[in-house]
Amino acid sequence: MIPIAKPYLDKEDAQAAYETILTGWITQGPRVQEFEEKFAKYTGAKYAVAVSNCTTALHLAMIVSGISEDDEVICPSLSYIATANSIKYTGATPIFAEVCPETYNLSAADTETKITAKTKAVLLVHQMGMPAEIDAFKQLCETYNLKLIEDAACAVGSSYKGKKIGSHSEIICFSFHPRKVISTGDGGMITTNRPDYYERLKLLRQHGMTVNDRVRHESSKVIFEEYVEVGYNYRMTDIQAAVGIKQLDKLDWLIEERRKIAAAYYKAFRDIDCIRLPEEPSTCYTNWQSYSIYLKKNAPIDRNTLMQKLLDEGIATRRGVMTTHRELAYSKTHGNIKLPVSEDLHDRSIILPLYVPMKEQEIQKVIDVFLKLIR
Ligand SMILES: *Cc1c(COP(=O)(O)O)cnc(C)c1O
């Protein structure tokens, strides 16, 4: 069976977790701090704050950006549901805009049409690791005085205009879920260049507490913490961070390996006229978190039958990225909107297996069976 994805975790990662457990300091301690420092350096951001996952990262990003009830935040519907949920947690309303069919990323032109007097921010997703047009959105947000928040859950290690995702705008959120390119089990990270955001994020992730456990532990004087606002428990554990440090060392290599597999798919499929392959814009360097192929109307097989036939031959696939407005959680409030591009992309796209290490014969099998079924 060829799976859709699998995390790359090795003995070194396991050893790091093992050693951390034996140190006796297992949450929000020295490993978390080291992971944050390394992550900030890697992305080129001034600060990084580790949290429990990307959904909690996005929630905190909303709060520090000042999003609250009565606000509107524009985001794609074509995204994992956590994108819109993070807006809902603040009491604000997600407003769904269309994406570009070539990149699956938010369209700046359609986003502009959705701006109202209530709009406070744009939540820009780098879908499946492909960087969105950050500069166009920075311009748009400046023009309309909006906050820009990046959902880079899938985009760790990807670059836009020669710079790693993580320092182009004010606040960027990452995921280390096993379905992403590097993993800490669950886990998330927020990067920012703003010292005020950095300080508040550290408070909010740990109950609004002014002095963390580690500082109290290391102090030779008795110190008392204060709780200055209602915060959350969105901590990352040191066990996760120890794994994250080792994963980060392997990230560039993992991306190179992923790009070789994507290149093999591109070479094998590029002449087939009934499909559209994902294209990397010249400004972007993607980590290929997922490889999604769109079936045009003249395809000889429908998407779901294709998925079943691939599965029958031992190849797992997934349908295209979900449309949030058509899920029950949102269809009651957002069900009457129409997003034809997003809906069509979801309905007609198929995600192929892509993971490291993917054996030569596994890649070839996916190519051969896919070609047989699509021709
Ligand atoms: C995976 C994902 C999330 C959620 O990340 P978690 O770490 O699982 O909370 C958010 N947004 C997008 C676009 C994602 O793909």
Side-chain angles (χ1 to χ4, degrees):
M1 189 70 203
I2 299 179
I4 181 74
K6 57 183 170 192
Y8 184 91
L9 289 161
D10 60 18
K11 280 203 174 129
E12 184 191 46
D13 302 317
Q15 183 71 25
Y18 173 86
E19 283 167 12
T20 304
I21 289 166
L22 295 182
T23 66
W25 195 294
I26 50 180
T27 198
Q28 194 66 73
R31 298 296 192 293
V32 167
Q33 192 179 334
E34 185 187 344
F35 187 31
E36 290 171 337
E37 284 162 5
K38 292 208 158 125
F39 197 86
K41 189 150 177 260
Y42 178 85
T43 55
K46 282 212 180 87
Y47 310 106
V49 178
V51 288
S52 49
N53 55 65
C54 186
T55 309
T56 56
L58 288 166
H59 184 199
L60 295 188
M62 290 291 147
I63 296 172
V64 299
S65 301
I67 309 305
S68 62
E69 278 169 73
D70 302 331
D71 293 336
E72 292 178 354
V73 178
I74 301 172
C75 70
S77 168
L78 190 88
S79 185
Y80 189 57
I81 196 164
T83 302
N85 285 349
S86 72
I87 299 166
K88 287 288 264 185
Y89 297 158
T90 67
T93 306
I95 301 294
F96 297 125
E98 273 290 21
V99 295
C100 306
E102 298 78 20
T103 60
Y104 300 76
N105 279 329
L106 205 56
S107 151
D110 194 61
T111 299
E112 188 164 15
T113 69
K114 303 278 156 67
I115 296 172
T116 70
K118 288 185 165 186
T119 310
K120 197 73 175 279
V122 174
L123 179 50
L124 184 61
V125 181
H126 304 301
Q127 196 51 259
M128 296 180 278
M130 185 69 77
E133 270 302 325
I134 300 173
D135 282 354
F137 283 91
K138 277 171 86 168
Q139 183 76 57
L140 187 72
C141 289
E142 216 173 277
T143 307
Y144 290 92
N145 193 25
L146 308 175
K147 292 286 182 186
L148 180 62
I149 299 157
E150 291 177 56
D151 179 346
C154 301
V156 67
S158 296
S159 304
Y160 175 72
K161 296 195 174 168
K163 250 170 62 179
K164 290 257 159 58
I165 296 294
S167 67
H168 295 91
S169 68
E170 281 192 336
I171 193 154
I172 303 97
C173 301
F174 297 88
S175 172
F176 308 122
H177 181 271
R179 184 67 182 80
K180 318 297 188 198
V181 174
I182 54 172
S183 183
T184 60
D186 262 308
M189 191 75 81
I190 309 167
T191 58
T192 181
N193 289 335
R194 285 185 57 153
D196 56 336
Y197 279 12
Y198 175 59
E199 292 305 327
R200 184 135 185 252
L201 288 166
K202 284 194 296 178
L203 278 180
L204 286 170
R205 75 158 159 202
Q206 198 172 12
H207 308 289
M209 185 173 163
T210 52
V211 185
N212 74 35
D213 298 324
R214 188 162 168 235
V215 172
R216 281 186 292 166
H217 177 75
E218 286 169 356
S219 174
S220 57
K221 297 239 162 51
V222 172
I223 33 177
F224 298 112
E225 79 283 13
E226 288 179 310
Y227 298 85
V228 292
E229 67 174 314
V230 177
Y232 303 86
N233 177 359
Y234 287 171
R235 282 186 299 254
M236 176 181 275
T237 69
D238 266 42
I239 306 168
Q240 292 167 298
V243 174
I245 292 163
K246 298 295 179 196
Q247 287 271 293
L248 195 57
D249 287 340
K250 295 186 262 271
L251 177 55
D252 287 339
W253 171 74
L254 283 167
I255 294 174
E256 279 169 34
E257 293 299 304
R258 300 183 75 86
R259 290 177 64 87
K260 285 183 203 161
I261 302 163
Y265 284 160
Y266 184 78
K267 187 158 168 257
F269 303 145
R270 70 175 165 204
D271 292 329
I272 300 172
D273 148 74
C274 66
I275 58 176
R276 189 176 62 230
L277 300 176
E279 293 274 351
E280 185 178 54
S282 61
T283 49
C284 299
Y285 177 88
T286 177
N287 65 13
W288 293 117
Q289 183 267 339
S290 287
Y291 195 88
S292 180
I293 295 179
Y294 175 82
L295 306 192
K296 296 185 196 162
K297 298 274 189 297
N298 61 340
I301 185 169
D302 71 86
R303 198 270 317 266
N304 295 358
T305 310
L306 177 61
M307 287 179 70
Q308 186 60 54
K309 294 218 153 144
L310 283 160
L311 192 60
D312 293 344
E313 304 241 19
I315 300 167
T317 59
R318 292 288 179 272
R319 54 190 185 157
V321 179
M322 67 187 295
T323 46
T324 304
H325 72 287
R326 292 192 293 180
E327 293 297 325
L328 202 52
Y330 285 87
S331 59
K332 282 175 247 156
T333 48
H334 292 71
N336 53 1
I337 62 164
K338 287 271 173 292
L339 296 164
V341 177
S342 300
E343 290 169 19
D344 187 54
L345 282 174
H346 168 78
D347 295 346
R348 304 189 67 87
S349 295
I350 177 170
I351 297 175
L352 294 189
L354 204 166
Y355 51 85
V356 180
M358 196 169 171
K359 293 195 203 90
E360 204 61 56
Q361 67 258 40
E362 291 175 323
I363 301 169
Q364 201 52 51
K365 183 175 171 188
V366 174
I367 289 172
D368 291 345
V369 178
F370 188 83
L371 282 176
K372 183 182 84 184
L373 294 168
I374 204 73
R375 270 196 178 133

